[in-house]
Amino acid sequence: MRVDATMDDLTVDDFFAGLLAALVEKGIGVLSTRGEPFYRAVEASYRELEAVAHTRRLDPRFVILVDPIHGDSPVVREAVYGATLRHLASLDAPEFSDLRIKLDHAQAQTLLRHLPGGPGVYEEIAEIFLSSYPFVTA
């Protein structure tokens, strides 16, 4: 049950799409998704979202936690898969561990304007992602 009807729902797909679009705006086009550091960086971005969600009138409808044994997150894996289905990104063969963002700057800006919370939220979480993740490949 919702406490505040003025809050906007935020899905994991919108969160991840916003993260990808904000990364494009910062000149990032490819991310290595190999290993725990990628999942930890997305989790750190989610923690930033949690910290600002109420002031941005957002109600995240998901939780991102990295599994302490496997070092990954099923929620993040599903978000990556969802981004590929929406043609926002592709996973490069042969190992499917490089996530290539398929948005250009104009598409990224349009997407950011239409996501719940507005562009500023996603710019903030992209900064946290980049400060937490050294394996940006392009």
Side-chain angles (χ1 to χ4, degrees):
M1 176 182 264
R2 279 184 135 158
V3 175
D4 185 349
T6 63
M7 302 287 276
D8 290 327
D9 285 347
L10 181 66
T11 66
V12 70
D13 289 330
D14 285 344
F15 165 81
F16 199 69
L19 175 60
L20 294 179
L23 290 172
V24 165
E25 289 299 288
K26 295 181 180 303
I28 307 302
V30 181
L31 303 168
S32 173
T33 63
R34 187 174 316 184
E36 187 172 343
F38 171 75
Y39 293 98
R40 291 278 177 209
V42 177
E43 182 184 46
S45 298
Y46 170 74
R47 296 285 172 234
E48 176 66 17
L49 171 69
E50 278 187 318
V52 302
H54 188 72
T55 59
R56 300 298 184 107
R57 299 171 19 131
L58 293 172
D59 183 12
R61 308 305 289 174
F62 61 97
V63 174
I64 294 176
L65 298 170
V66 174
D67 184 285
I69 295 171
H70 300 288
D72 68 354
S73 167
V75 173
V76 173
R77 278 197 319 267
E78 287 297 318
V80 168
Y81 180 66
T84 63
L85 288 178
R86 293 169 68 187
H87 303 287
L88 302 177
S90 63
L91 289 166
D92 291 351
E95 295 179 21
F96 301 103
S97 61
D98 286 339
L99 184 68
R100 185 169 306 279
I101 305 170
K102 296 170 70 174
L103 298 168
D104 62 27
H105 285 287
Q107 292 168 323
Q109 290 172 353
T110 299
L111 182 59
L112 288 169
R113 280 195 308 271
H114 290 93
L115 287 172
V121 171
Y122 305 99
E123 291 165 6
E124 290 173 31
I125 65 171
E127 283 296 323
I128 297 299
F129 179 87
L130 290 172
S131 70
S132 303
Y133 192 65
F135 303 108
V136 174
T137 58

